[in-house]
Amino acid sequence: MLLHPQFDPIALRIGPVAIHWYGLMYLLGFALVYLLGRMRLVRGHTPALQPRDLEDLIFYSVLGVVLGGRLGYVLFYKPAYYLAHPLEVLYLWEGGMSFHGGLIGVIVVMLLYARKKQLSFFTISDFIAPLIPLGLGAGRLGNFINGELWGRPTDAPWGMVFPQAGDTVPRHPSQLYELGLEGIVLFVLLWWFSARPRPAGQVSGLFLIGYGAFRFLVEFTREPDGFLGLLAGGMSMGQWLSLPMVLAGVVLFGLSARQPSR
């Protein structure tokens, strides 16, 4: 049985300013997106995009992640509560973000940017998709450092006690599972797949399939939100939100396979 290290959530203090690990993980995530994006541009993967486009996309995507992630959490997880307490929608410091909402926010950003630049949406989405997983992995590392989003009880030898859970029950370190699958494995898969010319939309489709499938599987080891529990079919909200991702990815992957590679 392992014990969560109980890291100090504050990484650095500069006078009265406290810099939290979770905030640093967000910065690390976007920095990785930028560095990997520049690498892809240098290699000529997407001639239609320039370094300035990458910088603009990252800037607007930050807004998409924050606004979409927060609104997704409000609508998917606690609509009744926030309907009764609308001002608390703005209380970002209290936590409450949804990956699926953040993804919708980024999709909206890419749609608007593609329209502005008169480019195909898939030109942008296929370029961005391989850059995302390591950023997601950084976020899951932040969850682990904070000792939040712990897993379900387990008798596995790597079971870990999370004092934040309010008990001494060994649990799956599900944050690390997500770091490994949604972060590292998905990155390697997409980076390898996108290294060769692919039909428009196929890289994006593989991202939807990969993330949705990995998230669905990890949710079996992750403790469901206490205020929701398990929903219909014995599945968590994360699983129900991931199923449409997988379905959309399969359809997109199949349809794009009929198009010529570029």
Side-chain angles (χ1 to χ4, degrees), residues 117-129:
K117 291 290 185 175
Q118 297 183 327
L119 295 171
S120 163
F121 169 77
F122 292 121
T123 296
I124 296 178
S125 65
D126 285 349
F127 171 75
I128 292 293

Side-chain angles (χ1 to χ4, degrees), residues 70 87-95:
R70 183 58 172 175
L87 288 180
E88 293 189 25
V89 172
L90 304 176
Y91 294 1
L92 297 179
W93 57 88
E94 292 186 354

Side-chain angles (χ1 to χ4, degrees), residues 58-196:
I58 290 177
F59 174 77
Y60 293 122
S61 292
V62 170
L63 300 179
V65 167
V66 174
L67 295 177
R70 183 58 172 175
L71 290 176
Y73 181 79
V74 169
L75 295 175
F76 298 150
Y77 289 87
K78 288 187 173 182
Y81 177 83
Y82 286 106
L83 185 62
H85 307 84
L87 288 180
E88 293 189 25
V89 172
L90 304 176
Y91 294 1
L92 297 179
W93 57 88
E94 292 186 354
M97 298 286 283
S98 162
F99 164 79
H100 297 88
L103 176 63
I104 293 172
V106 172
I107 289 174
V108 170
V109 165
M110 292 190 294
L111 283 168
L112 294 176
Y113 198 81
R115 181 178 180 182
K116 175 184 176 182
K117 291 290 185 175
Q118 297 183 327
L119 295 171
S120 163
F121 169 77
F122 292 121
T123 296
I124 296 178
S125 65
D126 285 349
F127 171 75
I128 292 293
L131 315 181
I132 295 177
L134 288 186
L136 296 178
R140 294 310 182 191
L141 181 57
N143 293 144
F144 179 76
I145 291 173
N146 284 348
E148 61 191 8
L149 304 183
W150 50 80
R152 303 185 193 187
T154 179
D155 56 4
W158 56 86
M160 181 173 290
V161 174
F162 290 87
Q164 293 91 333
D167 55 40
T168 57
V169 177
R171 297 174 178 275
H172 286 286
S174 54
Q175 314 96 323
L176 299 182
Y177 300 167
E178 291 185 277
L179 164 61
L181 291 175
E182 301 165 14
I184 298 173
V185 174
L186 185 57
F187 166 72
V188 171
L189 176 62
L190 290 174
W191 196 259
W192 163 78
F193 187 77
S194 63
R196 294 174 54 190

Side-chain angles (χ1 to χ4, degrees), residues 242-256:
S242 295
L243 283 177
M245 286 186 66
V246 175
L247 178 60
V250 169
V251 171
L252 179 57
F253 193 90
L255 291 177
S256 62

